[in-house]
Amino acid sequence: MPTSASSRPPLDLTADSVAITQAICDVPSVSGDERALADLVVDALAGAAHLEVIRDGDTIVARTNLGRDRRVVIAGHLDTVPINGNVPTRFETIDGQRYLWGRGTVDMKAGVAVQLKLALELSDPIVDLTWMWYDHEEVSAELNGLGRVARHRPDLFAGDFAILGEPSNGRVEGGCNGNLRVELRAYGLRAHSARSWVGENAIHKLAPALERLAAYEPATVEVDGLEYREGLNAVGITGGIAGNVIPDEAMLHVNYRFAPNRTVAEAIEHVADLFPEYELTVVDEAEGARPGLDDPLAQQFVRAVGGEAKPKYGWTDVARFSALGIPAVNFGPGDPLKAHADDERVACDQILSCERALRAWLTGAA
Amino acid sequence: MPTSASSRPPLDLTADSVAITQAICDVPSVSGDERALADLVVDALAGAAHLEVIRDGDTIVARTNLGRDRRVVIAGHLDTVPINGNVPTRFETIDGQRYLWGRGTVDMKAGVAVQLKLALELSDPIVDLTWMWYDHEEVSAELNGLGRVARHRPDLFAGDFAILGEPSNGRVEGGCNGNLRVELRAYGLRAHSARSWVGENAIHKLAPALERLAAYEPATVEVDGLEYREGLNAVGITGGIAGNVIPDEAMLHVNYRFAPNRTVAEAIEHVADLFPEYELTVVDEAEGARPGLDDPLAQQFVRAVGGEAKPKYGWTDVARFSALGIPAVNFGPGDPLKAHADDERVACDQILSCERALRAWLTGAA
């Protein structure tokens, strides 16, 4: 009996990258369910003599071993957020622009399609290449396939520069901001609200913290030539026991997105300095990533794909590379504002221009 | 077969009021379960020729019809909050003071015991008397027996002055503060917190409201000679969607306890004036009650029971009388801070002194 994967038509990586995008979007691969797609990828690359293919769970690494001076890692995740009636994909034309519509088209199967096509095609690139397609990006960090492979086979992460195919409208977005979430707590004294003067209102004690947040002017910080815009925000607030009780505890949940010139430890110190009178509990932390655009290889890449690099604000897996000492950027087709949207859709032209730009750089034609 | 009520020993209202308190505490009467006690009360008063006894559910009204110039209503509730291992009652001596310990001793069977004893005993008071013992005080207002009888038999509420036997340490506590709860809402614009400048943080918009609350100096207002201390407090606060989302809505729950010189409408206006920039929703409102201590009958009562009248801060059923145009005060044995407490207990001396004071006033001996 054929398996679910083998019953599907094989992937044709000689097709154009728009067709490949459609083909791999129509193989559902919500996080945890990447196997069928991973099987197709392995099968499609099996005949390529220039590639060493390694599989770890549903993560596939394919690399050249051409003895080049420098090695570039190019990665993309195979999984998507849950489908919401938007698979299979279809083509739509809006204002004369042709789009591929459906789950995964933006985040990030268009980027993966470009990578798969070039992985098979480029048998003689000017740098050695390590391609990585991984599982479980859209769920909790512990499950992330890239993290798992980094634990199992850290040697596969050797490289001088990394490109993550996350949607960036076909522009280079360097590094990413760090992310910190803390809970600030104020304490008081419980009392019946008919005799409030006997108590001490913990919610009222959050007033200075909210005031400071409302007045806070987030910095814009230049790192390696890119300007990172920070943000400091309340993302939650709770307090209160009953309609007739003066509350003795209140909590303010604060999110700090900080430029990658700061470490998490420095970010915590900054927040602690801003709110010295509260009990502070760190609930989430992630280092940012410097864009690493001072590296000549990176500068060459930015010039090759055209235009100016921009900072990436959201946290992405480039930070994993950064933590391993590999400068990393995001570069992929698709508008990031359409990622996870029910009307997720990618402009077909963007897929093709990303394909051309990446090919030109990797073959020395740019 | 005897019913549950008739299987109990009858109430002996010629006993002293401490013994009566113990007897009626040991007949459990948590809200909704007052029947057995109500049956005993009806039976105990049945032989009193000077009383007309009317029953409505588990509320009993007993009144004299002596043709006196003035009529005083004296009321108490039969129900208690749930028992928590503190029935049957027992006597305890602490620092040389004798207490009756157990659920209901303070709130408010000691007060009811004094009333029951005097109802039977005083066949020739100087004013006509309407005694009321009612059900469902400790639960939602719609179930309140006093409210039900006011709807069924408003004529029974005729009177010039009312005394509610709620615990007040044997002092006269006049009227009560009004109570208002409102929800204040701020709105913003949802956005990913990695690009917070695209959104508008609704939680931050609560900063001025919290500041105003923290800085607010509640008034102390003299009404009919008593000083009512007000309170304006946050009793709840909520906001936030997820750790990475700029929230587009936040809510602050505010409780205003206002002196009885203001109406609910005026209290709402005051709060609306304080927080003009927020959407305001009234979620609970209760008029206060003026103490009515300008009435000579009330002044005579205060003098008779000794000492000075105090304001009552918490909302009590005196407000129901006040709403019907009858000045009303609280007067009963027991420390209100022990009401609902697991170590609820009343000083036996307080029960007896309340009994003596009320008798003296009602017989013209004071």
Side-chain angles (χ1 to χ4, degrees):
Chain A
M1 200 171 110
T3 66
S4 157
S6 62
S7 68
R8 294 178 186 276
L11 265 186
D12 175 9
L13 298 183
T14 64
D16 76 78
S17 52
V18 173
I20 299 172
T21 303
Q22 181 166 41
I24 64 178
C25 285
D26 290 347
V27 180
S29 58
V30 175
S31 309
D33 198 23
E34 299 94 338
R35 174 144 314 165
L37 181 55
D39 288 348
L40 286 173
V41 168
V42 167
D43 291 348
L45 297 174
H50 65 288
L51 291 174
E52 175 194 6
V53 178
I54 300 127
R55 180 165 182 168
D56 180 304
D58 292 328
T59 290
I60 296 135
V61 179
R63 60 177 180 178
T64 62
N65 295 298
L66 304 167
R68 304 285 192 254
D69 285 347
R70 312 211 67 183
R71 176 175 289 277
V72 170
V73 182
I74 304 180
H77 61 84
L78 296 177
D79 60 323
T80 69
V81 295
I83 290 165
N84 190 12
N86 51 359
V87 165
T89 55
R90 61 170 189 254
F91 288 98
E92 276 186 351
T93 299
I94 301 170
D95 294 336
Q97 173 89 36
R98 194 158 173 258
Y99 289 90
L100 180 63
W101 173 99
R103 174 64 72 234
T105 51
V106 167
D107 191 7
M108 57 168 281
K109 290 186 175 175
V112 167
V114 167
Q115 295 171 358
L116 287 170
K117 180 169 181 61
L118 296 179
L120 184 69
E121 176 187 317
L122 302 181
S123 55
D124 189 30
I126 59 166
V127 290
D128 263 312
L129 290 172
T130 302
W131 305 94
M132 292 182 167
W133 300 285
Y134 60 103
D135 54 288
H136 284 100
E137 192 270 349
E138 296 288 6
V139 286
S140 77
E142 310 92 76
L143 297 174
N144 188 294
L146 216 50
R148 189 182 63 244
V149 175
R151 289 190 298 274
H152 292 173
R153 293 285 308 269
D155 58 300
L156 296 177
F157 282 76
D160 301 292
F161 182 55
I163 299 167
L164 210 65
E166 291 279 359
S168 63
N169 271 318
R171 280 189 289 242
V172 177
E173 293 189 341
C176 68
N177 270 335
N179 189 17
L180 173 69
R181 285 190 293 118
V182 302
E183 291 178 351
L184 301 176
R185 276 190 176 71
Y187 296 97
L189 185 65
R190 204 181 278 209
H192 196 290
S193 73
R195 290 173 204 84
S196 53
W197 51 92
V198 175
E200 206 182 298
N201 197 313
I203 294 176
H204 294 191
K205 290 189 180 177
L206 291 182
L210 282 192
E211 242 181 294
R212 259 167 259 161
L213 283 174
Y216 186 85
E217 299 202 0
T220 296
V221 182
E222 194 184 306
V223 182
D224 298 349
L226 296 189
E227 300 215 314
Y228 286 85
R229 198 160 167 185
E230 298 195 334
L232 182 70
N233 273 278
V235 289
I237 192 165
T238 56
I241 293 140
N244 61 354
V245 178
I246 302 302
D248 55 353
E249 186 176 338
M251 189 276 284
L252 181 62
H253 186 179
V254 173
N255 184 212
Y256 180 34
R257 303 279 178 155
F258 54 96
N261 65 319
R262 284 197 209 255
T263 62
V264 162
E266 287 165 346
I268 293 172
E269 200 184 323
H270 178 64
V271 173
D273 285 350
L274 267 172
F275 304 106
E277 71 268 57
Y278 301 99
E279 183 187 286
L280 185 153
T281 312
V282 173
V283 292
D284 193 23
E285 55 175 63
E287 298 285 354
R290 297 183 73 101
L293 294 177
D294 40 1
D295 186 292
L297 194 65
Q299 286 171 2
Q300 202 181 0
F301 172 66
V302 173
R303 274 195 307 276
V305 302
E308 216 185 336
K310 303 260 177 198
K312 184 81 173 174
Y313 293 117
W315 196 93
T316 77
D317 276 326
V318 296
R320 293 183 192 277
F321 291 100
S322 184
L324 294 166
I326 309 168
V329 299
N330 296 281
F331 172 74
D335 179 349
L337 296 177
K338 288 289 181 200
H340 305 192
D342 287 340
D343 65 343
E344 185 172 348
R345 58 172 180 245
V346 63
C348 298
D349 280 356
Q350 258 191 22
I351 305 177
L352 297 170
S353 66
C354 279
E355 178 196 324
R356 283 191 299 270
L358 203 53
R359 179 190 291 111
W361 180 57
L362 292 173
T363 57
Chain B
M1 201 171 111
T3 66
S4 160
S6 63
S7 69
R8 294 178 186 277
L11 265 186
D12 176 8
L13 298 184
T14 64
D16 75 80
S17 50
V18 174
I20 299 172
T21 303
Q22 180 164 42
I24 63 178
C25 285
D26 291 348
V27 180
S29 59
V30 175
S31 310
D33 197 23
E34 299 93 339
R35 173 143 316 162
L37 182 55
D39 288 348
L40 285 174
V41 168
V42 168
D43 291 349
L45 297 174
H50 65 288
L51 291 175
E52 175 194 5
V53 178
I54 300 127
R55 180 166 182 166
D56 180 302
D58 292 327
T59 291
I60 296 135
V61 179
R63 60 178 181 178
T64 63
N65 294 297
L66 304 167
R68 304 286 192 254
D69 285 346
R70 312 211 67 184
R71 176 176 289 277
V72 170
V73 182
I74 303 180
H77 61 85
L78 296 177
D79 61 322
T80 69
V81 294
I83 291 165
N84 190 12
N86 51 0
V87 164
T89 55
R90 61 171 189 254
F91 287 97
E92 277 186 350
T93 299
I94 301 170
D95 294 335
Q97 174 88 36
R98 194 160 174 253
Y99 289 90
L100 180 62
W101 174 99
R103 175 63 74 235
T105 51
V106 168
D107 192 6
M108 57 170 276
K109 289 185 174 175
V112 167
V114 167
Q115 295 171 359
L116 287 170
K117 180 169 181 60
L118 296 179
L120 185 69
E121 176 188 317
L122 301 181
S123 55
D124 189 31
I126 59 168
V127 290
D128 263 312
L129 291 171
T130 302
W131 305 93
M132 293 183 167
W133 300 285
Y134 60 103
D135 56 288
H136 284 98
E137 192 270 348
E138 296 288 5
V139 285
S140 77
E142 311 92 77
L143 298 174
N144 188 293
L146 214 52
R148 188 181 66 243
V149 175
R151 290 190 299 274
H152 293 173
R153 292 287 307 272
D155 58 298
L156 296 178
F157 282 75
D160 302 290
F161 183 55
I163 299 167
L164 211 65
E166 291 279 359
S168 63
N169 271 319
R171 280 188 290 242
V172 177
E173 293 189 342
C176 68
N177 270 335
N179 189 18
L180 173 68
R181 284 190 296 118
V182 303
E183 291 178 350
L184 302 176
R185 278 190 176 70
Y187 295 98
L189 186 65
R190 207 182 279 208
H192 196 291
S193 72
R195 290 174 204 83
S196 54
W197 51 90
V198 175
E200 207 182 296
N201 196 313
I203 294 177
H204 294 190
K205 291 189 180 178
L206 291 181
L210 281 192
E211 241 181 295
R212 258 167 260 161
L213 282 174
Y216 187 85
E217 298 202 358
T220 296
V221 183
E222 194 183 308
V223 183
D224 298 350
L226 296 189
E227 300 217 314
Y228 287 85
R229 200 162 167 181
E230 298 195 334
L232 182 71
N233 272 278
V235 290
I237 192 164
T238 56
I241 293 139
N244 61 354
V245 178
I246 302 301
D248 56 353
E249 186 176 339
M251 189 275 285
L252 181 63
H253 186 180
V254 173
N255 183 212
Y256 180 34
R257 303 279 178 156
F258 54 95
N261 65 318
R262 285 197 207 254
T263 62
V264 162
E266 288 164 345
I268 293 171
E269 200 184 324
H270 179 64
V271 173
D273 285 350
L274 268 172
F275 304 105
E277 70 269 58
Y278 302 99
E279 183 187 287
L280 185 153
T281 312
V282 174
V283 291
D284 193 23
E285 53 175 63
E287 297 285 356
R290 300 183 70 102
L293 293 177
D294 40 0
D295 185 294
L297 195 63
Q299 287 171 0
Q300 201 181 3
F301 172 66
V302 173
R303 274 195 307 276
V305 302
E308 214 184 337
K310 303 258 177 200
K312 184 82 173 175
Y313 294 117
W315 195 92
T316 77
D317 275 325
V318 297
R320 293 183 191 276
F321 291 101
S322 185
L324 294 165
I326 308 168
V329 298
N330 296 281
F331 172 74
D335 180 351
L337 296 177
K338 288 287 181 199
H340 304 193
D342 286 340
D343 64 344
E344 186 173 347
R345 59 173 179 246
V346 64
C348 298
D349 280 355
Q350 259 191 22
I351 306 177
L352 297 170
S353 66
C354 279
E355 178 195 324
R356 282 191 299 270
L358 203 55
R359 179 191 290 112
W361 179 56
L362 292 173
T363 57

